[in-house]
Amino acid sequence: MSGLHNAVIAYKNKAISEMLQDAELVHAIDDKVTSVDELIYRNIFPYFRVPTADTETLTYITVCVDLPEAYHPENFMRDIALKICVIVHQSEMETNYGATRLDYIAAKIDDIFSESLKYGYGKLSLLSSTESSLDQFHRYRELIFVSSEAQAGC
């Protein structure tokens, strides 16, 4: 496996691990969970998972890593993008947090990752936070954080 894909896997795993360490975020995803490990591949995915039916009312977080320009021989650095998508069924939007479940979870994720020094060189910066509808039942917010990292072989 190339160093490039090892980095993708490492960033996804690190991002999921950091989110699972935040008790308030875990509670907002599922307040009945007894072990954070239960959330992996049920609520939190290292890929973009789309709910398959209108009856799926769980809250989902998907983690993707993009390397928009994977290799430039003349550059030491390359950009990385950590893309986190929060997907919430419309019936689960109302909370006691003073915000929708979608916005509250996105804010918690922003708190975890903005200005983080754990990904690449320098701080992660929030590039965008966009909200939309996935289908007639599910709403989502995609947060894109960017940083740079050294290219292997430079």
Side-chain angles (χ1 to χ4, degrees):
M1 193 177 322
S2 76
L4 177 72
H5 289 98
N6 285 335
V8 167
I9 293 165
Y11 285 144
K12 286 181 176 186
N13 289 339
K14 187 185 305 185
I16 290 170
S17 176
E18 284 194 73
M19 288 187 286
L20 292 175
Q21 292 175 28
D22 187 303
E24 292 174 351
L25 176 59
V26 168
H27 187 265
I29 295 167
D30 184 345
D31 60 355
K32 295 172 184 66
V33 71
T34 57
S35 167
V36 295
D37 292 334
E38 293 174 38
L39 297 178
I40 301 171
Y41 290 103
R42 188 187 74 184
N43 300 85
I44 300 176
F45 299 87
Y47 59 90
F48 187 74
R49 186 213 188 266
V50 177
T52 56
D54 64 331
T55 55
E56 285 191 55
T57 59
L58 297 175
T59 296
Y60 302 102
I61 296 177
T62 67
V63 179
C64 299
V65 174
D66 288 342
L67 299 152
E69 297 179 21
Y71 183 70
H72 286 284
E74 68 277 3
N75 293 335
F76 176 69
M77 304 297 282
R78 68 173 163 228
D79 293 333
I80 59 167
L82 176 63
K83 296 169 79 171
I84 300 176
C85 208
V86 181
I87 304 168
V88 179
H89 192 275
Q90 64 187 7
S91 67
E92 296 296 313
M93 291 293 261
E94 189 175 344
T95 69
N96 294 324
Y97 301 122
T100 66
R101 184 171 315 279
L102 183 66
D103 292 338
Y104 179 78
I105 290 173
K108 297 299 293 175
I109 290 170
D110 187 24
D111 289 346
I112 292 168
F113 294 105
S114 282
E115 306 296 312
S116 173
L117 295 169
K118 298 177 183 177
Y119 300 84
Y121 289 99
K123 296 177 182 176
L124 269 181
S125 300
L126 181 62
L127 177 66
S128 68
S129 174
T130 55
E131 182 176 347
S132 191
S133 294
L134 189 60
D135 56 35
Q136 75 182 75
F137 301 102
H138 298 91
R139 309 298 168 247
Y140 76 92
R141 177 169 295 281
E142 180 183 54
L143 297 100
I144 301 176
F145 300 90
V146 294
S147 187
S148 295
E149 71 165 13
Q151 297 191 94
C154 288

